[in-house]
Amino acid sequence: MKTAQGWRLGIGDIQFMTGPRHQLQLKSPMWIIALVSLVSVLLIGSYFYPRQSYAVYYIFSSSGCKSISEWLPPTPSRVFTDEEIAARVVSRELLKISIQSKNPKIAFMFLTPGSLPFEKLWDKFFHGHEDRFSIYIHASSEKPRHVSRYFVDRDIRSKKVVWGTVSMVDAERRLLANALQDPDNQHFTRSCVPLHKFDYVYNYLMDTNMSFIDSFEKPGPHGNARYLEHMLPEVKKDFMKGAQWFSMKRQHALIVMADNLYCSIFKQYCKVAFCLNMVCYVTYS
């Protein structure tokens, strides 16, 4: 009878390998040293010999961005108010460096309810002097029909004007504000009909250092009777009436546009007076 024999693995059955042990050795990182050296050389070269990347310049330059801006919707524009136009003109003149205009012009400003009755006469006056004048038209009642090419597309945004009221002052300030936006306009005039040739008027106004404003004393409801003591102390009692005709230099036109004190006083108190039973009254709000 055979008996089962078991086999046990003992310590003596294990064979140990003798001899030296070999560890895995890493190769020398020569490629890392070469890469660092190359980057260092490029950095040093770019420091001493800077070059401009034309590709980057094209992407970030304004000319390169034009193609992108063409895809964008146009910026909506709005019409500036009279006060905004006046403020922009005055602030721009105060901040800019004074430079003599290479092409000084006279700004002819027309305040009219509609079409100009002497437009054909003005056409002959302006003919041959196209680079020495500019035209601005304030039509308060209806859009004028022009017969002269010099007056086409020269209408500014206008509002209703009532004779003898401060709305006439507002209209003339509106004309000045539009004319002052052209830096070549050096003289500003409100005229009715030309009495001399263009060369005579141009040379006379450009050579003078004075402005001309119509001012006189006129008793009655449409003159001195408009004065009120509420206008003191800014406006004295030696009140003078002035017509709408004037001719002034650029620096004086800027003073008119920059004023808010006197203009607000006249708007509040200087109204049309009327007489009833020999007693004069002044209507004001």
Side-chain angles (χ1 to χ4, degrees), residues 7-25:
W7 180 78
R8 295 180 61 185
L9 182 62
I11 297 298
D13 297 323
I14 300 176
Q15 294 183 358
F16 293 93
M17 297 180 62
T18 60
R21 298 178 61 185
H22 298 280
Q23 295 182 352
L24 181 62
Q25 296 182 356

Side-chain angles (χ1 to χ4, degrees), residues 74-86:
T75 304
S77 59
R78 65 179 181 87
V79 179
F80 292 105
T81 63
D82 296 337
E83 292 76 11
E84 288 175 328
I85 294 176

Side-chain angles (χ1 to χ4, degrees), residues 1 16 24 79 83 86 111 117 143 147 157 162 189 196 256 275:
M1 181 176 180
F16 293 93
L24 181 62
V79 179
E83 292 76 11
L111 178 58
K143 184 176 179 60
V147 296
R157 186 188 62 195
V162 179
T189 179
H196 298 276
V256 172
C275 292

